[in-house]
Amino acid sequence: MDAQAFCGALEHRGYGFFSGVPCSYLKGPFALLEQHPTYLPAPNEGIALSLAAGAELGGTRAAVLIQNSGLGNLLDPLTSLLLAYDVPVLIVASLRGWPRPEDDEPHHAAMGAGTLGTLEAIGVAHGVLDGDPAGLEALLDRAERERERRRPFVILVPKGTIGTCAVPAGGEREEPELDRQEAVGVIAARLTDELTFSTTGMISRELFAAADRPENFYMQGSMGHAIGLGLGAAVTLPHRKVVVIDGDGAALMHLGGSALVGERGPANLTHIVLDNGSYDSTGGQRAARLAWAELALALGYRTARTCATAAELAAHLDKIAALPGPHMVGVPIRRGSSWTPPRITSAHTNSEVRARFQQAATPTSPLDGPEEPAQ
Ligand SMILES: Cc1ncc(C[n+]2csc(CCOP(=O)(O)OP(=O)(O)O)c2C)c(N)n1
């Protein structure tokens, strides 16, 4: 089905407010909705749903577009806000990992198999789009009937059901000097024995391509949680240096993790945010913008700096290697990339990534391991 026809059908039914977090299966609708005056790119799917509920309370029909992996972020406001206060919102969710989980990346398997059952378990009506415009109208009719009962409705979108169209260029700032490959290349060249957590999507694939090493934990899936992983490891392994390579969209998704970094202040943690102002891995959709260095200082990080060139980034990473953190390094990078790095699963299963990382993190058992530092 054509993306224009899909969005047109929603607007025809009176939907006038849109929010969401992108999925590559919904690239077409996102490209069109980004041009809509009342589209708000949400930091996470739960916030998208609360924005939509606010719009509904204000009298405007609202729709939220998400990847089914984001159902976990959205379940609380779906159950304890929409269902509890009778607020009808239309949710459009892609179906990664469905119908055959083995045809998709492993981090989509459990939610792919469990999306329909989860909705059934909480009693939210839903239907799977088949790419036929008449099928969409039938689903929107069902959404209408749920709306009369003041209930939400979920349209589930399998792979290849809605066509893509080009994402409009950002154009709101000067083109950064670095691209993702260059920035990750500079960082990777400086990694020795640091435990390194890289974020969901292309950034992890880029690190894998630049320097595959046991100390790399490629966190595909669980978007926004790389900083939580890094902080947990930094606090429990204070004798090890920990580097988190984040995307701006992911860092924003669970920004609370960064607040805890500032509050706890682990000296051995460096948080690098590659900032392209977009969700590049899912097609380059616009993301909310933040001044990462300024924000980190306000949160309590010990040092923070924006590095816009390869030379500046290299010199700064060398300098802070000898200084106590936590450090924030913001790196403006261009949207898009001249190549597509390979998937990590082309070489390693997730279990291998985890096992060799653990071996590198604690080569000896905790009993013979390094002594606890004095408190
Ligand atoms: C909870 C959740 N929502 C959405 C996605 C889909 N997704 C995968 S990567 C990505 C974009 C990440 O953006 P950013 O962190 O800025 O890194 P970039 O892709 O720009 O390198 C999105 C939206 C996901 N994996 N999980």
Side-chain angles (χ1 to χ4, degrees):
M1 155 179 291
D2 179 46
Q4 194 86 51
F6 180 82
C7 293
L10 263 53
E11 288 195 89
H12 187 69
R13 299 273 178 155
Y15 289 93
F17 178 89
F18 302 93
S19 186
V21 180
C23 175
S24 53
Y25 287 13
L26 299 171
K27 230 182 200 171
F30 271 102
L32 296 170
L33 292 177
E34 285 206 331
Q35 296 163 57
H36 200 280
T38 53
Y39 166 75
L40 285 188
N44 68 50
E45 291 81 358
I47 295 177
L49 197 59
S50 61
L51 290 168
E56 289 274 358
L57 293 179
T60 298
R61 284 186 173 215
V64 158
L65 280 71
I66 65 163
Q67 179 175 98
N68 57 337
S69 62
L71 200 58
N73 284 336
L74 172 147
L75 274 180
D76 177 35
L78 177 57
T79 53
S80 66
L81 176 61
L82 270 69
L83 296 183
Y85 289 86
D86 318 315
V87 185
V89 166
L90 179 68
I91 299 167
V92 178
S94 66
L95 267 177
R96 297 279 320 233
W98 187 91
R100 284 166 44 89
E102 57 276 24
D103 291 344
D104 206 334
E105 288 292 286
H107 58 275
H108 289 297
M111 194 45 108
T115 296
L116 279 84
T118 301
L119 294 172
E120 266 145 38
I122 58 170
V124 170
H126 54 276
V128 178
L129 188 68
D130 58 9
D132 170 18
L136 175 60
E137 289 305 325
L139 290 177
L140 289 172
D141 286 344
R142 286 183 61 199
E144 217 56 46
R145 289 197 290 279
E146 292 302 311
R147 177 167 281 276
E148 279 161 20
R149 302 167 56 217
R150 307 204 54 80
R151 304 274 299 180
F153 186 79
V154 183
I155 295 180
L156 297 160
V157 183
K159 186 176 187 176
T161 313
I162 306 178
T164 58
C165 46
V167 176
E172 83 279 21
R173 60 173 185 172
E174 275 178 41
E175 187 83 325
E177 184 167 318
L178 289 168
D179 71 8
R180 183 186 62 225
Q181 188 181 14
E182 291 161 337
V184 171
V186 170
I187 298 162
R190 271 152 191 83
L191 292 172
T192 52
D193 63 346
E194 294 86 350
L195 299 174
T196 306
F197 296 94
S198 55
T199 187
T200 322
M202 292 297 177
I203 290 174
S204 270
R205 290 168 62 170
E206 199 77 73
L207 178 66
F208 165 64
D212 183 29
R213 48 201 273 284
E215 293 85 356
N216 291 350
F217 189 95
Y218 308 109
M219 190 203 69
Q220 294 294 36
S222 54
M223 181 174 161
H225 291 295
I227 191 62
L229 274 176
L231 178 57
V235 166
T236 50
L237 297 170
H239 56 288
R240 296 295 300 264
K241 286 203 171 152
V242 175
V243 174
V244 174
I245 310 177
D246 229 338
D248 57 327
L252 184 62
M253 181 168 269
H254 295 300
L255 193 56
S258 294
L260 196 53
V261 168
E263 195 265 333
R264 175 77 198 206
N268 54 338
L269 181 65
T270 297
H271 188 186
I272 304 172
V273 177
L274 302 185
D275 179 8
N276 52 18
S278 72
Y279 298 110
D280 215 42
S281 303
T282 47
Q285 301 86 357
R286 175 160 50 95
R289 302 305 309 272
L290 282 186
W292 289 99
E294 287 87 337
L295 176 75
L297 288 179
L299 290 177
Y301 283 54
R302 194 183 293 255
T303 79
R305 177 164 173 161
T306 304
C307 297
T309 67
E312 201 183 344
L313 178 59
H316 185 61
L317 290 176
D318 289 345
K319 180 177 146 197
I320 60 173
L323 298 176
H327 309 287
M328 163 62 74
V329 185
V331 186
I333 58 167
R334 291 197 290 278
R335 208 179 74 176
S337 177
S338 53
W339 82 310
T340 305
R343 292 183 184 279
I344 294 110
T345 45
S346 64
H348 307 296
T349 65
N350 284 359
S351 300
E352 278 163 21
V353 170
R354 195 262 313 141
R356 67 182 196 154
F357 177 89
Q358 277 194 298
Q359 176 64 28
T362 52
T364 48
S365 81
L367 287 179
D368 352 302
E371 279 188 24
E372 287 274 318
Q375 292 298 311

